[in-house]
Amino acid sequence: MQQHWLKRWEQGRIGFHRDSVHPALVRHWPLLCATPGTKVLVPLCGKSLDMRWLAEHQHPVLGIELAEAALAQFVEEGPGEVSRYQQDGFSIQRQGSIELWCGDFFHFHIAQAAEIGAFYDRAALIALPEATRQRYAFHLAQLIPPGARGLLVSLRRDGEDGPPYNVSDEEIRRLFDPNFIVTHLEDGEREDNGFQESVWALVRRGPVTDEPAQHR
C-alpha cells in the first residue's frame, strides 16, 4: 500500500487534493473551542491547504506524511524560509508554525506527540483499507491526550474500491467509540460519482471528560 501511495504522488495522480480550504473545517473547527496555541496533529496530511488555515488561526501544526514529494510541494508553494532536520527516523521540515514529518504515521509515538492538543483528519482514515483502519484509530487515540478534540471528515461511497474507501457511520462509531466521544455533525451533498462526505467531532475520553459532547 505504501508503494502505491508514493507512486501516486510521483505520477501526480492526486485527485484527492483540494485547491482550497475544506469548508467543513471553516464551519466546524471554531465549535471545537480549541484555544489559540493548541498544536494540531494532521495525520497523512499530503500538501493540504487546511494546514495553512489552521496555522493562520493561531494553531501550530504537525503534519505527518509518507510521500516526500507532497511535503516538498507544500513548502515550495508556501511562504517563508524552511528549516530541515532529522529526528527519530523522520525527516522534518518547518515552515513558520507548521512542522512536516516525513515518514510512517504508525512509527510516530507518544513521546513525539507530547505537545499535541487537537487533531484534524480530512483524508487519512478514508485512505486506508479496512484492515488498517482499526490500527489507525487505536494509534491516534494513543497520541491524543484526554479532553483533546478533533475534526474528522469521512466518506461514504458506492462499492468497496479505493482509496478513497467507503467508511460507514457504523464503522466510525465502532472504531472510535471505545476511546472518543463521537458526534456526527453533518453530511455533505452526494456527488455525481456517488461520494458523500460526513463530518464528525471527536473528544478523547479520559479522566477530564467522559460526558456528552456539546454537539451530540
Side-chain angles (χ1 to χ4, degrees):
M1 189 185 78
Q2 290 187 355
Q3 289 305 313
H4 173 74
W5 183 250
L6 295 174
K7 194 169 185 178
R8 290 188 67 162
W9 276 98
E10 290 170 1
Q11 297 175 344
R13 294 187 292 118
I14 53 171
F16 49 82
H17 174 70
R18 292 180 59 95
D19 292 326
S20 59
V21 176
H22 198 294
L25 175 65
V26 177
R27 279 196 300 274
H28 294 295
W29 188 263
L31 303 178
L32 299 183
C33 300
T35 58
T38 300
K39 194 170 194 175
V40 181
L41 175 67
V42 184
L44 284 65
C45 62
K47 60 171 185 174
S48 173
L49 296 177
D50 296 345
M51 293 190 288
R52 296 210 184 278
W53 187 92
L54 287 165
E56 289 165 2
H57 286 77
Q58 300 182 302
H59 290 293
V61 174
L62 194 159
I64 305 177
E65 171 58 49
L66 186 65
E68 184 177 359
L71 303 183
Q73 291 173 31
F74 181 87
V75 297
E76 287 170 6
E77 295 166 3
E81 295 294 320
V82 180
S83 59
R84 295 177 172 84
Y85 53 99
Q86 302 282 325
Q87 182 176 321
D88 298 327
F90 286 85
S91 298
I92 303 169
Q93 301 180 76
R94 178 189 289 273
Q95 188 175 54
S97 60
I98 301 175
E99 296 174 36
L100 302 170
W101 291 52
C102 185
D104 188 334
F105 172 69
F106 296 109
H107 294 167
F108 186 81
H109 297 299
I110 190 167
Q112 299 160 320
E115 298 177 354
I116 297 297
F119 65 94
Y120 174 63
D121 175 344
R122 200 282 290 185
L125 181 70
I126 62 176
L128 301 171
E130 183 177 5
T132 310
R133 292 197 289 266
Q134 178 69 59
R135 183 184 177 197
Y136 170 83
F138 180 78
H139 189 62
L140 180 65
Q142 305 314 300
L143 301 174
I144 303 301
R149 295 171 180 263
L151 193 67
L152 167 68
V153 182
S154 186
L155 181 75
R156 306 185 198 101
R157 59 169 293 181
D158 299 328
E160 297 301 325
D161 293 336
Y165 292 96
N166 173 60
V167 183
S168 68
D169 293 3
E170 293 76 16
E171 182 178 355
I172 288 174
R173 293 195 179 278
R174 184 172 69 253
L175 291 174
F176 292 103
D177 264 340
N179 293 305
F180 294 90
I181 299 169
V182 180
T183 306
H184 179 231
L185 299 179
E186 71 171 26
D187 292 328
E189 295 292 329
R190 182 172 289 275
E191 302 174 19
D192 292 341
N193 58 9
F195 289 11
Q196 182 183 32
E197 291 184 325
S198 61
V199 185
W200 305 75
L202 279 67
V203 183
R204 181 67 167 95
R205 296 186 185 275
V208 300
T209 177
D210 257 332
E211 58 192 35
Q214 66 183 78
H215 309 298
R216 187 181 286 271

